[in-house]
Amino acid sequence: MPRTWSSHPGWPAKLGPLTVAGGNVTLRPVKLRDAGPWSRLRLRDRDHLEPWEPTGEGSWAARHHISSWPALCTGLKSEARKGHMLPMAIEVDGEFCGQITVGNIIRGALKSAWIGYWVAKDVNGRGVATAALAISLDHCFGPLGLHRVEATVRPENLPSQAVLRNVGFREEGLLRDYLDVDGRWRDHLLVALTSNEVQGSVADRLVRTGRAAWA
Ligand code: ACO
């Protein structure tokens, strides 16, 4: 009898490629062997990442030491197998360059989740996050069967707001003192997208509007 590894309809999966100025963007499940590049990029890009990410326990250096990844990765994959999460690595031309995570997947009458992401500084401004988000959203509204995906973003984070707008997210309001980010409670804009608002595929729309191409 085949063993059941996952109760998650869209997991594990390899998604993409979608071609943007930065290269061919693909998504795949995070893996233990990401430890090296994950730690190197997260330590190198601290100034770029820390102002936008939830405050963690301990120093940035300790939290992003190569030895921290196995426990983090194993926890993410365990949540994925239970159907609660979709923790993906973003690759550009086959190189690890960030993460995109669908979390708090709720089924039943909500069929909703949140999405969050980061991309290494040296590939910024070349469409990588926009492509990764489009590919993820198509997976959420397709194989995952979700109805709504939401995201929260600091009002000061203009690049991330541009990325969210690029794929069709619509603003729903301001959440005051919402999340402890970079050591303080911070306001966040709530944005959302439902499957009813997506005409066809999000990635297709990027291709039609000249922002991306099918590889
Ligand atoms: N003001 C306004 N827009 C800007 C600025 C700026 N200062 N700088 C860049 N942009 C725009 C670009 O013009 C582009 O928009 P366009 O496509 O309409 O021209 C957009 O920001 C960037 O788009 P991409 O190239 O697809 O995104 P990129 O691969 O550079 O990644 C990201 C953006 C994810 C925000 C990256 O800079 C990052 O990881 N930042 C640090 C962590 C972070 O902020 N994560 C997101 C937290 S919020 C969340 O997860 C929902």
Side-chain angles (χ1 to χ4, degrees), residues 148-203:
R148 172 187 163 96
V149 177
E150 62 183 42
T152 57
V153 58
R154 287 184 63 184
E156 300 86 354
N157 194 345
L158 300 180
S160 185
Q161 286 176 57
V163 169
L164 292 162
R165 268 197 309 276
N166 284 347
V167 295
F169 274 95
R170 141 187 71 66
E171 199 175 309
E172 294 193 334
L174 182 69
L175 306 173
R176 294 208 180 271
D177 266 7
Y178 174 67
L179 190 62
D180 185 352
V181 168
D182 198 18
R184 280 176 47 196
W185 294 104
R186 311 283 184 172
D187 294 349
H188 278 69
L189 294 166
L190 174 65
V191 300
L193 186 63
T194 65
S195 54
N196 293 340
E197 294 170 285
V198 175
Q199 306 292 320
S201 129
V202 181

Side-chain angles (χ1 to χ4, degrees), residues 22 40-41 44-45 48 92 95-98 118-126 128:
R40 187 175 57 77
L41 296 178
R44 185 195 70 185
D45 288 353
H48 167 62
V92 176
E95 296 287 322
F96 179 96
C97 73
W118 66 271
V119 170
K121 191 172 179 180
D122 57 355
V123 294
N124 273 188
R126 284 180 264 164
V128 173

Side-chain angles (χ1 to χ4, degrees), residues 8-200:
H8 198 316
W11 177 267
K14 285 185 115 176
L15 309 176
L18 195 58
T19 305
V20 290
N24 285 338
V25 177
T26 48
L27 307 182
R28 57 148 177 88
V30 291
K31 58 186 182 195
L32 287 171
R33 272 179 297 169
D34 293 327
W38 170 83
S39 173
R40 187 175 57 77
L41 296 178
R42 302 275 310 174
L43 291 172
R44 185 195 70 185
D45 288 353
R46 176 179 177 171
D47 291 349
H48 167 62
L49 300 168
E50 199 171 26
W52 317 115
E53 297 204 352
T55 305
E57 302 258 318
S59 70
W60 185 270
R63 281 192 284 129
H64 296 97
H65 189 268
I66 194 167
S67 63
S68 298
W69 179 250
L72 181 57
C73 180
T74 304
L76 291 171
K77 291 182 87 127
S78 159
E79 287 300 294
R81 280 193 297 275
K82 290 181 212 152
H84 301 161
M85 264 196 161
L86 194 75
M88 307 291 280
I90 303 172
E91 288 188 343
V92 176
D93 296 334
E95 296 287 322
F96 179 96
C97 73
Q99 288 173 264
I100 187 158
T101 307
V102 178
N104 198 26
I105 296 173
I106 300 172
R107 301 212 167 262
L110 275 173
K111 294 189 176 57
S112 77
W114 55 251
I115 196 160
Y117 43 81
W118 66 271
V119 170
K121 191 172 179 180
D122 57 355
V123 294
N124 273 188
R126 284 180 264 164
V128 173
T130 298
L133 200 46
I135 296 168
S136 302
L137 287 168
D138 284 340
H139 195 61
C140 286
F141 295 134
L144 251 67
L146 297 182
H147 170 68
R148 172 187 163 96
V149 177
E150 62 183 42
T152 57
V153 58
R154 287 184 63 184
E156 300 86 354
N157 194 345
L158 300 180
S160 185
Q161 286 176 57
V163 169
L164 292 162
R165 268 197 309 276
N166 284 347
V167 295
F169 274 95
R170 141 187 71 66
E171 199 175 309
E172 294 193 334
L174 182 69
L175 306 173
R176 294 208 180 271
D177 266 7
Y178 174 67
L179 190 62
D180 185 352
V181 168
D182 198 18
R184 280 176 47 196
W185 294 104
R186 311 283 184 172
D187 294 349
H188 278 69
L189 294 166
L190 174 65
V191 300
L193 186 63
T194 65
S195 54
N196 293 340
E197 294 170 285
V198 175
Q199 306 292 320

